[in-house]
Amino acid sequence: MTSTAVQQDTVQDQVTVEDQVTVVVSGPEVHFSAPLLGLEHLTRFVLEQVEEDSPLFSLRSVEDAGVSLLLLAPEAVFEDYAPSMDAVSRAAVGLPAGDQGLLLTVVNAAGAESLEQATVNLLAPILINPNSGTAAQIVLTGSAYPLRQPLSA
């Protein structure tokens, strides 16, 4: 898989965790124009590819060191997954007409014994403008895409 770089400022924030350990968070910063569902109090995240050529990404909060999400480039696993982003969705992240941006889906591994047992939220992907780092979670209303699609069948 070819990685899509987010061309945005790199964050170099020091985050102090509850046990007073200081962690340096670095990587391209992603700003959510509309908050993530369930994380309405957070808007600044760092997006990093887990490994080179991997379809997995880590989305870590700059504002709360305890918040991190695992994201997936869905085309690597779900070949037929191709939701179209309407003008409103593209405008939410500042994408011009015809530019699809970077589309990632949230992986839910809670309760799974392995990544293969995890599910992926295909109903509400995250759309990122790779030029500005602006992002939004887009709920595909009226879509047949599932909220909990098994990662492996």
Side-chain angles (χ1 to χ4, degrees), residues 32 34-42 45 59 69 106 126 136-137:
F32 279 82
L36 283 164
L37 301 172
L39 298 174
E40 289 80 7
H41 61 294
L42 304 172
F45 290 82
L59 185 68
L69 299 173
V106 178
I126 294 174
Q137 187 171 27

Side-chain angles (χ1 to χ4, degrees), residues 110-127:
E113 293 181 21
S114 68
L115 189 57
E116 290 78 23
Q117 294 177 342
T119 61
V120 179
N121 180 347
L122 297 180
L123 183 62
I126 294 174
L127 179 63

